Amino acid sequence: MIIQLNIRQRAEEKEESLSPYAAKSTESRGRAGYEEPCPIRTAFQRDRDRILYSKAFRRLKHKTQVFIAPLGDHYVTRLTHTLEVAQIARTIARALNLNEDLTEAIALGHDLGHTPFGHVGEDVLDELYHRGFKHNEQSLRIVELLEKDGRGLNLTWEVRDGIVNHSKSGVEILGPDWGLVSTLEGQIVKIADIIAYVNHDVDDALRAGVITEKDLTLSVVRTLGASHSQRINTMVSDIIINSWAATGCDKKVEPTIGMSAPVLEATKTLWEFLCKRVYNVNAAEKDTERARMVVRHLYRYFNEHEDKLPLEYRVYSDDRERRVVDYVAGMTDQYAERMAGELGLE
Ligand code: MG
């Protein structure tokens, strides 16, 4: 046991050599409920593991990212998106000498609250539930309450802050409405999320034949590169260079995570192109309309038949509608489709 204690302490001591702006696990604002520290892992390493072992994390593999019910095996799912975000974010955090464990924990947890059928499901629940629905708030609700049969994962404050503040209005990349995250590690995940999705969505849209390489704006290709890997590499390298103050090299410069003006402009152009040619077009598709019907049907059915909710969704103190939202939002695409079929939706 004495040896094990040294293992965590050694990891905590290593954190002392991180940037002065890094979030250190020993300086965490802590967990809502006190727990004895783990003898082997730091608090952030432990949070990362808890998210990885959660049921909500496992369900990500059967949740849509953008393309609903794609026929190919190589489309991005919510799980592969999450892993890409974690990978990109860790690369940036490591380069800037920030806390990689905290970064990874936030990244793995950021999208746990996504509904079945991607943003389509989110929009339907937001429209139906009188208090509204946002996937980032649901991610927080999962880690604070729903996992472990209503006990939650009892994560540290910094991980929860990064999870709930990861989302942004798409048009405001790093703009005034970008939103606040308290740690630089959280800011990294927020921007890594965009890097991952604009790039894999181009890849998937090409795969689906919705766009061709020639459709990509010339200025985007010139600034970011002609291939998926080149574009990710350009964005990641640019962020590292433009956020170098986060390493603590120059105390006179405010540390933030950002991009240079040309790369930011090209990223926005790419995002706008995706909105016009992929996201909005996708929203009008038959599969999308079917997905809306499924979520509406399930929401109405379980509100009328509360007794049919699984036991674990009947024990919380919240109102019925809230419990129905929790259940429906937690479903995978396949589960929602199967359930709707069993309940008579043709
Ligand atoms: Mg995401």
Side-chain angles (χ1 to χ4, degrees):
M1 184 55 86
I2 292 166
I3 294 168
Q4 284 182 337
L5 269 175
N6 285 339
I7 296 172
R8 190 196 73 244
Q9 283 163 348
R10 221 167 44 205
E12 288 171 348
E13 277 161 26
K14 270 193 198 155
E15 287 188 350
E16 293 307 314
S17 64
L18 292 176
S19 158
Y21 300 117
K24 318 270 175 10
S25 54
T26 48
E27 292 163 15
S28 167
R29 295 200 206 176
R31 308 177 186 283
Y34 175 78
E35 285 180 47
E36 282 296 323
C38 171
I40 298 172
R41 297 162 299 167
T42 67
F44 296 147
Q45 288 172 345
R46 199 179 199 185
D47 283 1
R48 184 259 332 267
D49 295 357
R50 284 182 184 182
I51 292 166
L52 194 70
Y53 294 128
S54 69
K55 289 197 284 185
F57 188 82
R58 291 187 181 176
R59 295 196 299 263
L60 293 175
K61 76 173 166 183
H62 292 304
K63 290 197 178 204
T64 286
Q65 180 67 23
V66 170
F67 290 86
I68 296 172
L71 290 175
D73 284 338
H74 298 131
Y75 287 84
V76 169
T77 66
R78 194 61 67 181
L79 178 66
T80 51
H81 162 73
T82 296
L83 296 176
E84 288 186 21
V85 173
Q87 182 66 16
I88 291 166
R90 283 178 57 199
T91 301
I92 298 170
R94 197 184 311 131
L96 296 175
N97 205 22
L98 296 170
N99 197 319
E100 209 176 319
D101 297 320
L102 171 61
T103 309
E104 188 179 16
I106 297 171
L108 293 182
H110 85 284
D111 271 353
L112 291 178
H114 261 296
T115 60
F117 313 117
H119 286 285
V120 174
E122 179 169 20
D123 291 345
V124 172
L125 286 184
D126 187 46
E127 176 190 300
L128 293 175
Y129 181 45
H130 68 281
R131 290 200 201 126
F133 181 91
K134 289 197 172 76
H135 78 269
N136 56 318
E137 291 169 4
Q138 191 68 11
S139 297
L140 184 68
R141 190 169 160 80
I142 285 172
V143 299
E144 284 188 339
L145 179 73
L146 299 179
E147 274 293 325
K148 292 183 119 182
D149 300 325
R151 283 173 290 143
L153 301 178
N154 198 29
L155 304 181
T156 54
W157 185 89
E158 291 74 11
V159 174
R160 287 180 282 136
D161 168 76
I163 287 175
V164 76
N165 291 312
H166 83 270
S167 57
K168 51 258 152 195
S169 81
V171 284
E172 276 298 343
I173 303 175
L174 297 170
D177 292 334
W178 176 245
L180 289 177
V181 197
S182 302
T183 60
L184 291 172
E185 288 80 356
Q187 285 186 36
I188 290 176
V189 173
K190 198 162 176 151
I191 203 162
D193 190 18
I194 293 185
I195 298 178
Y197 76 66
V198 292
N199 285 297
H200 62 52
D201 291 350
V202 166
D203 215 31
D204 274 358
L206 289 168
R207 183 167 289 111
V210 175
I211 57 167
T212 67
E213 296 272 4
K214 287 193 194 118
D215 296 329
L216 290 174
T217 322
L218 201 59
S219 64
V220 167
V221 175
R222 277 203 189 119
T223 310
L224 300 178
S227 70
H228 182 256
S229 65
Q230 280 173 1
R231 288 189 281 269
I232 292 184
N233 191 45
T234 304
M235 290 180 189
V236 168
S237 311
D238 186 73
I239 289 169
I240 292 168
I241 293 164
N242 281 279
S243 313
W244 198 248
T247 60
C249 62
D250 183 355
K251 296 274 173 49
K252 281 179 242 132
V253 183
E254 183 72 15
T256 52
I257 305 300
M259 280 177 171
S260 67
V263 171
L264 178 61
E265 202 46 49
T267 305
K268 279 185 187 167
T269 308
L270 186 57
W271 183 82
E272 281 156 10
F273 166 79
L274 282 166
C275 286
K276 204 162 99 198
R277 294 289 305 271
V278 181
Y279 304 148
N280 293 343
V281 174
N282 224 26
E285 295 232 321
K286 213 170 78 208
D287 284 341
T288 310
E289 197 37 53
R290 165 81 191 172
R292 285 194 191 101
M293 264 169 58
V294 166
V295 177
R296 274 191 210 116
H297 183 75
L298 292 170
Y299 182 83
R300 293 204 179 112
Y301 178 86
F302 286 106
N303 266 299
E304 285 160 17
H305 302 86
E306 196 191 354
D307 56 311
K308 296 284 196 310
L309 279 175
L311 262 184
E312 59 184 299
Y313 288 93
R314 279 189 256 162
V315 293
Y316 309 118
S317 53
D318 300 283
D319 59 80
R320 184 197 64 232
E321 263 187 276
R322 177 73 254 182
R323 291 195 293 273
V324 172
V325 169
D326 288 337
Y327 182 42
V328 176
M331 292 180 184
T332 62
D333 296 14
Q334 295 161 344
Y335 186 93
E337 186 62 67
R338 201 171 58 235
M339 180 66 69
E342 280 170 21
L343 299 176
L345 182 73
E346 296 190 344

